[in-house]
Amino acid sequence: MKILIKNGRLVDPASGRDAIGDVAIAAGRVVSLGQVSTDFHANRVIDATNLVVAIVGDLVHSRVARSDIHALTTLGAAEVRAVGPKTLVPGDLKEMGVRVCHDMAEGIRDADVIIMLRLQNERMSGAMLPSAGEFFKNYGLTEEKLALAKPDAIVMHPGPINRGVEIDSAVADGKQSVILPQVTFGIAVRMAVMSTIAGNNP
């Protein structure tokens, strides 16, 4: 599935109908959300069908993970991978069209996008992990592990970040990280969605 951004509006390329609210993109960046003037002519097609996306970490307690999986499979992503220890990866993900990997190297190899998730210790009961240090050793994203992904892969994280637990600071602050823009745009996107649901579309 492709999404066409035409005159600042998200449009279904097949039907020509609006998909959701207004989005303006310039030079590959979201520059405006909400009502956009019709003279904005940055048309762009976003195609997820070639993307390999790895979602790594605490998938059991993450609402972000399931939302991402639904969105990515709907958009026709080439492959969505769920990466983590058996205790933190739900057993039903394969039914959602997800490839489950319990080995970090296998899970992120040749990925285009790596989405790291924080350990939600406040929701855990019992011994789901030996320790945070052990988790970082096996599933924490370091520069060495990131090298297994594609050279132009991007690193995402919904925040807040547990540095030294699921991600190393060198990666979180590195050139392949889009975490800060992701969080910034995420607020605006949620506002746009809520406005659309409330019937505030022009």
Side-chain angles (χ1 to χ4, degrees), residues 45-194:
V45 173
I46 301 172
D47 188 358
T49 57
N50 295 319
L51 293 181
V52 173
V53 182
I55 305 173
V56 185
D58 184 358
L59 285 89
V60 164
H61 302 103
S62 174
R63 291 168 294 185
V64 170
R66 286 190 180 272
S67 297
D68 285 347
I69 289 167
H70 283 298
L72 289 164
T73 53
T74 299
L75 290 170
E79 186 173 48
V80 181
R81 302 173 186 168
V83 186
K86 292 180 180 179
T87 53
L88 295 181
V89 177
D92 63 345
L93 292 187
K94 288 182 181 178
E95 299 168 14
M96 298 174 68
V98 174
R99 175 181 163 190
V100 174
C101 303
H102 298 301
D103 178 74
M104 178 75 160
E106 176 192 353
I108 66 172
R109 183 171 282 112
D110 296 322
D112 297 284
V113 180
I114 302 174
I115 302 172
M116 300 303 298
L117 302 172
R118 76 177 179 91
L119 287 182
Q120 299 191 33
N121 293 311
E122 70 276 10
R123 296 187 180 181
M124 293 186 191
S125 59
M128 300 189 80
L129 289 173
S131 68
E134 189 70 17
F135 180 84
F136 182 72
K137 177 183 175 183
N138 292 307
Y139 297 100
L141 187 61
T142 61
E143 290 181 310
E144 292 75 21
K145 290 174 187 167
L146 180 56
L148 296 169
K150 289 184 180 174
D152 60 348
I154 62 171
V155 176
M156 304 180 75
H157 193 304
I161 297 171
N162 292 315
R163 294 171 184 266
V165 178
E166 72 266 4
I167 189 168
D168 188 72
S169 288
V171 176
D173 302 326
K175 63 181 181 179
Q176 289 173 264
S177 172
V178 296
I179 295 170
L180 289 179
Q182 172 193 352
V183 173
T184 301
F185 297 149
I187 295 169
V189 168
R190 285 192 290 273
M191 290 171 63
V193 170
M194 289 171 67

